[in-house]
Amino acid sequence: MIRFLAKRTAQAAVVLLLVSVIVFVLLHQLPGGPARAILGPQATPQAVEHFNHQQGYDRSLPLQYVHYLRRLLTGDLGASYKLNQTVTALLADRLPRTLVLAGLSIALAAVLAVPLGVLQAVRRGRIADHLLTGAAFLAYATPVFFLGLVLILVFSQRLQLFPAEAPQADTVGGILSDPLALVLPVVTLAFGIVAAFSRYTRSAVLDNLSEDYVRTARAKGQSNARIMARHVLRNALIPLASLLGLYLPTLLSGSLVVESMFNYPGMGLLFWNAAQGSDFPVLLGVTLVVGVATVLGSLITDIAYAVLDPRIRSVS
């Protein structure tokens, strides 16, 4: 197990290094260079030259990358000159709120998807399976922005059950203290995940129902409910556990649309506002965080898979 973890951690470190290289290259592809993009088109040549010297952009590219990597390791992601704050401070303030939204969405999706997937598997080929399969494909194909608009029109404007705006509190506790305002953004973000998770659960349960240990358990006289609870679900949930880590970056990117629609003060809304205001340091900072989340999500998936299925360790 230690060897497996060391190997996967080393691979993740290499990928993280590549992510930093990509973001560094993007930084130098900004229109007019980093200084002109950050200071604006009206900046004087003297101001651009001073900024380049101050930030080290007048050095060779290898030296610039070493300096950039050193700053990343100390948590320095630059500064937003439009918001007059460091990017690290902005992300530290917004990221927990986005994680709350993503965590609640994953929890809701898992609670709904597992029973639906099991029901589809045990009712394979019947009306319930066909109906739920069609609903899953429809949900998976529904754009997030369209679903959000429908939920706002129906449940906020028509029925007036939930507010159209997400909680505006500055803290995680304040956000959780207004659960009604969280309903629509959480449901919007979780809708497509339910469809994906239920399909994976269905396939995993069907695969396990055909295994020899299920036939052995039935031959011993165990009930279907006992077989499902003690044997099938335990093995069928392994692929679902691996999906949780892989869906973390998807949730972070999907939250951009959801947070913009519901004015949720998270990292997605920060990225949206930065894109509208051409706040490139913030855009690159968020891009780097999503890249790191992708790598860490993959690493968490590998570790979870190895813990749940020891056979993975021997073949990796």
Side-chain angles (χ1 to χ4, degrees), residues 224-239:
N224 289 333
R226 183 181 178 85
I227 294 173
M228 185 67 66
R230 294 197 59 182
H231 302 290
V232 175
L233 273 181
R234 181 178 179 182
N235 294 299
L237 290 179
I238 293 177

Side-chain angles (χ1 to χ4, degrees), residues 107-123 128 132 194 197-199 201-202 205 228 233 237 240:
L108 177 62
V111 168
L112 295 177
V114 172
L116 290 176
V118 171
L119 177 62
Q120 288 179 264
V122 298
R123 298 289 182 179
L132 289 174
V194 172
F197 281 13
S198 65
R199 296 299 298 168
T201 303
R202 177 185 183 274
V205 170
M228 185 67 66
L233 273 181
L237 290 179
L240 186 60

Side-chain angles (χ1 to χ4, degrees), residues 41-94:
Q42 304 301 323
T44 64
Q46 292 79 10
V48 171
E49 182 180 357
H50 176 73
F51 183 86
N52 284 332
H53 179 72
Q54 185 182 36
Q55 299 296 324
Y57 293 136
D58 54 352
R59 305 175 186 177
S60 63
L61 285 179
L63 288 177
Q64 287 187 46
Y65 176 71
V66 171
H67 178 65
Y68 173 74
L69 193 59
R70 186 182 299 117
R71 288 170 52 190
L72 288 183
L73 293 175
T74 58
D76 184 5
L77 299 178
S80 169
Y81 294 90
K82 296 181 181 297
L83 299 176
N84 197 28
Q85 285 184 269
T86 64
V87 176
T88 303
L90 288 170
L91 292 178
D93 180 52
R94 301 296 186 94

Side-chain angles (χ1 to χ4, degrees), residues 4 27 33 37 73 80 93 214 237 269 296:
F4 174 83
L27 177 65
L73 293 175
S80 169
D93 180 52
V214 173
L237 290 179
L269 183 60
L296 292 181

